[in-house]
Amino acid sequence: MSDGSSFYITTPIFYVNDVPHIGHAYTEVAADVLARWHRQSGEDAWLLTGTDEHGQKILRTATANGVTPKEWADRLVETAWKPLLKTVDIRNDDFIRTTDVRHEVNAQKFLQHLYDSGHIYTGEYEGFYCVGCEEYKQPSDLIDGVGEYAGQQVCAIHSIPCELLHEKNYFFRMSTFADHLLALYEENPNFVQPASARNEVISFVKQGLSDLSISRSSFDWGIKVPWDDSHVVYVWFDALLNYITAAGYGHDDEKFSRLWPATHVVGKDILRFHAVIWPAMLLAAGIEVPRQVFGHGWLLVGGEKMSKSKLTGIAPNQITDTFGSDAFRYYFMRAISFGQDGSFSWEDLSARYQSELANGFGNLASRVIAMVVRYCDGEIPVAGDFSEADELIRGTEKRVTDAATLAIGHLAIHDAIAAMWELVDELNGYITAQEPWSLAKDPADRDRLEAVLVTAVRGLGTLAVLLSPVVPQATAKLWTALGGIGLVTDQRIDRAWEWTGGPRVSPLEALFPRIEATVG
Ligand code: MSP
């Protein structure tokens, strides 16, 4: 059902030094919801995710565990990072590892090209390096340490001191791209979003850019610099290239021109890499810059970024084992404005599960289907005359479809879901007001009963199509129960309201069953 236009979307590639927590799953789900939405809009959507396996951080973890970095990466990819995709129901089109030959070879081609065209030189650098961030820090990036690090300057993200490094490295002439980047942000205000992220990036670049050290020679876990194998490529330079090597750069021109440029969904902590360094690298290589870089907020615990290193990470399956993957996806996409920070709480999750998913949406579906079974032997009636109240529901279906489509265009996933929920709430109010159970008592009200049921069934069909990117499992079950033809994922989402109903309903199990166990 592709209309031929391409929507290439990426997640960051994840460090394999540790297992995933719900902050990582959050990024995955957001990108997946957007990819599914665009797929259902008729575009040729392509979702890329993967793992970032080189650099000192991984090397140190592997060494501490007595294995080679490659063995460590293989283990974590197979036991933790690929399983995460199943846990939260990600439908990715590719999974790239920076240790894949397709990545290493083509990243080297890119580097050689930059070297040959004069964008790289040899220099010396001394600075404070944070291994957690895999980044040299400026004094302004450091804060006063507390506890065991009181009296020292520490990384603002990892709260540990940085290491003073002095190295002879290869440098990328990034400073020469500052004006070009500023013009890009100016001419294309959507390039970096949301607005707060854009402003931060612009003021950062306005202060002037330094050249970037892009190689390391004190360890060898990385891609070899093609013209000097005593150096490995700086892990961020290597990692950013995944977005093009996976898309065919250097080895599949047809694929690359079909897919590129991409929309990058990243956490705000890694915004500068994506909105400054990455476009500068592409400009130097003469490759189109990304379509958009969207910096989302953090999941916070106690006001700080949730992280494994601070022992505040919650494993995604702690949530999905009890609530299921749909509830995970719904909760994080609905409860947090995409682009802003948010706090997770078990109480909020339980409350929203119960009131919005189980009572609001799930019960609505069960009740409507049960009434069609009871009053019409499961046959979806053919509508006769519609009343004003019925037409209002039809109007809402169209209105929320358009509103959700518009919101997704701005990556405002929370607004899109809020719009869909207007239909859930209106349908619930409609059923209460129309009282089909009373209409069923008098044969004289038969036409009215049928109009109400068919209106409710159509409304549910619209919801199934619209909500499919967010809660794929529940909506697939609902679609089948409504007698929908084909897969719900094949229905055009931008015309969700056009569905007019199948021939018969079939029984529907509770979409969001009651949770008995205590959680937390
Ligand atoms: N490997 C780099 C990315 C390279 S992309 C070319 C990296 N990896 S990471 O595993 O540390 O983080 C991956 C993503 O997870 C980032 O977008 C980061 O912001 C996100 N998150 C990590 N902790 C998070 C929260 N507590 N909340 C939300 N997102 C979080 O950075």
Side-chain angles (χ1 to χ4, degrees):
M1 63 175 220
S2 167
D3 67 6
S5 62
S6 164
F7 179 76
Y8 172 25
I9 182 163
T10 68
T11 72
I13 50 171
F14 298 90
Y15 287 129
V16 292
N17 62 307
D18 209 339
V19 297
H21 59 61
I22 59 176
H24 304 120
Y26 175 68
T27 309
E28 286 281 5
V29 168
D32 184 57
V33 167
L34 294 167
R36 286 177 187 259
W37 188 286
H38 283 267
R39 237 176 248 133
Q40 256 185 268
S41 305
E43 289 157 77
D44 189 5
W46 204 72
L47 171 63
L48 174 71
T49 189
T51 43
D52 189 353
E53 306 185 7
H54 292 129
Q56 226 163 339
K57 174 147 91 172
I58 315 295
L59 177 61
R60 286 188 186 175
T61 307
T63 309
N65 284 277
V67 292
T68 67
K70 181 63 166 65
E71 283 168 341
W72 179 260
D74 288 348
R75 184 190 300 175
L76 268 282
V77 166
E78 291 311 321
T79 62
W81 289 96
K82 284 191 172 166
L84 168 70
L85 305 178
K86 279 209 165 54
T87 304
V88 290
D89 209 355
I90 304 301
R91 204 177 134 194
N92 56 309
D93 297 279
D94 198 355
F95 187 99
I96 188 155
R97 301 179 53 178
T98 51
T99 51
D100 285 349
V101 173
R102 62 173 171 157
H103 173 73
E104 296 193 342
V105 168
N106 294 296
Q108 283 182 323
K109 272 192 204 163
F110 182 95
L111 224 79
Q112 186 69 53
H113 175 55
L114 249 51
Y115 186 67
D116 294 344
S117 44
H119 293 290
I120 291 176
Y121 64 93
T122 321
E124 283 194 37
Y125 195 79
E126 183 175 84
F128 288 101
Y129 194 82
C130 172
V131 177
C133 293
E134 293 282 15
E135 182 185 18
Y136 275 111
K137 297 285 176 180
Q138 298 304 313
S140 58
D141 296 327
L142 304 177
I143 57 168
D144 292 334
V146 290
E148 63 177 311
Y149 302 123
Q152 297 182 54
Q153 292 279 288
V154 297
C155 163
I157 294 175
H158 291 89
S159 308
I160 52 172
C162 298
E163 299 173 23
L164 183 63
L165 297 185
H166 184 117
E167 285 189 320
K168 186 167 167 288
N169 291 332
Y170 291 102
F171 280 75
F172 166 48
R173 295 185 199 280
M174 191 164 72
S175 57
T176 55
F177 292 96
D179 289 343
H180 203 142
L181 288 172
L182 287 170
L184 168 69
Y185 308 140
E186 192 61 39
E187 282 156 22
N188 182 358
N190 282 330
F191 179 68
V192 185
Q193 280 295 316
S196 53
R198 176 170 184 266
N199 293 339
E200 188 216 298
V201 165
I202 291 177
S203 59
F204 175 76
V205 177
K206 275 192 173 156
Q207 289 163 22
L209 291 179
S210 321
D211 289 343
L212 181 73
S213 159
I214 58 154
S215 73
R216 306 289 305 275
S217 57
S218 54
F219 62 92
D220 70 353
W221 176 235
I223 298 178
K224 297 249 181 278
V225 168
W227 60 91
D228 179 352
D229 66 8
S230 66
H231 283 246
V232 291
V233 179
Y234 169 46
V235 62
W236 266 101
F237 212 82
D238 159 354
L240 288 162
L241 289 169
N242 91 87
Y243 301 129
I244 58 171
T245 58
Y249 168 82
H251 56 110
D252 187 341
D253 293 345
E254 184 280 319
K255 182 178 177 182
F256 189 56
S257 61
R258 182 164 45 86
L259 291 178
W260 192 254
T263 296
H264 300 308
V265 170
V266 302
K268 63 180 185 180
D269 48 327
I270 56 173
L271 186 69
R272 283 186 203 168
F273 293 99
H274 287 82
V276 181
I277 299 178
W278 179 224
M281 288 165 66
L282 291 165
L283 287 170
I287 298 173
E288 203 178 335
V289 296
R291 181 177 291 174
Q292 186 173 52
V293 178
F294 190 94
H296 67 68
W298 287 338
L299 299 193
L300 305 174
V301 176
E304 281 194 64
K305 178 175 175 244
M306 172 180 296
S307 88
K308 280 275 167 185
S309 59
K310 291 184 183 165
L311 303 176
T312 51
I314 298 170
N317 66 359
Q318 276 180 265
I319 294 177
T320 56
D321 285 352
T322 305
F323 292 92
S325 57
D326 275 358
F328 185 105
R329 297 167 63 95
Y330 173 80
Y331 174 71
F332 287 105
M333 294 301 105
R334 173 82 204 252
I336 300 171
S337 295
F338 197 53
Q340 286 171 25
D341 292 345
S343 294
F344 162 76
S345 92
W346 288 102
E347 292 72 22
D348 191 29
L349 168 64
S350 292
R352 282 186 184 266
Y353 179 90
Q354 201 49 48
S355 69
E356 293 165 19
L357 288 177
N359 295 342
F361 177 48
N363 275 357
L364 171 71
S366 311
R367 284 167 73 208
V368 169
I369 286 176
M371 286 191 282
V372 176
V373 170
R374 191 170 322 129
Y375 306 136
C376 309
D377 288 329
E379 217 166 285
I380 298 175
V382 178
D385 287 340
F386 289 116
S387 73
E388 201 184 325
D390 310 338
E391 296 294 355
L392 274 177
I393 293 290
R394 295 298 285 161
T396 302
E397 287 172 57
K398 179 153 188 345
R399 181 171 57 76
V400 305
T401 301
D402 292 346
T405 305
L406 199 67
I408 291 288
H410 302 124
L411 277 67
I413 304 173
H414 53 287
D415 284 341
I417 301 178
M420 298 172 209
W421 236 256
E422 287 176 30
L423 180 56
V424 172
D425 293 340
E426 264 190 48
L427 275 172
N428 274 312
Y430 170 81
I431 300 286
T432 308
Q434 300 301 318
E435 298 187 29
W437 47 89
S438 304
L439 297 173
K441 286 183 189 143
D442 186 346
D445 288 331
R446 186 71 195 173
D447 284 354
R448 194 63 214 121
L449 172 68
E450 293 187 348
V452 170
L453 290 180
V454 82
T455 300
V457 164
R458 284 185 184 185
L460 279 179
T462 299
L463 280 175
V465 175
L466 283 179
L467 279 165
S468 157
V470 183
V471 286
Q473 298 193 5
T475 48
K477 286 182 200 153
L478 176 58
W479 185 252
T480 305
L482 291 171
I485 310 294
L487 298 172
V488 66
T489 47
D490 287 339
Q491 311 308 309
R492 279 295 287 253
I493 208 158
D494 49 338
R495 300 201 296 261
W497 55 278
E498 281 184 357
W499 185 67
T500 51
R504 292 186 65 78
V505 297
S506 53
L508 178 68
E509 59 185 279
L511 291 179
F512 298 96
R514 175 176 288 280
I515 308 265
E516 304 292 352
T518 7
V519 292

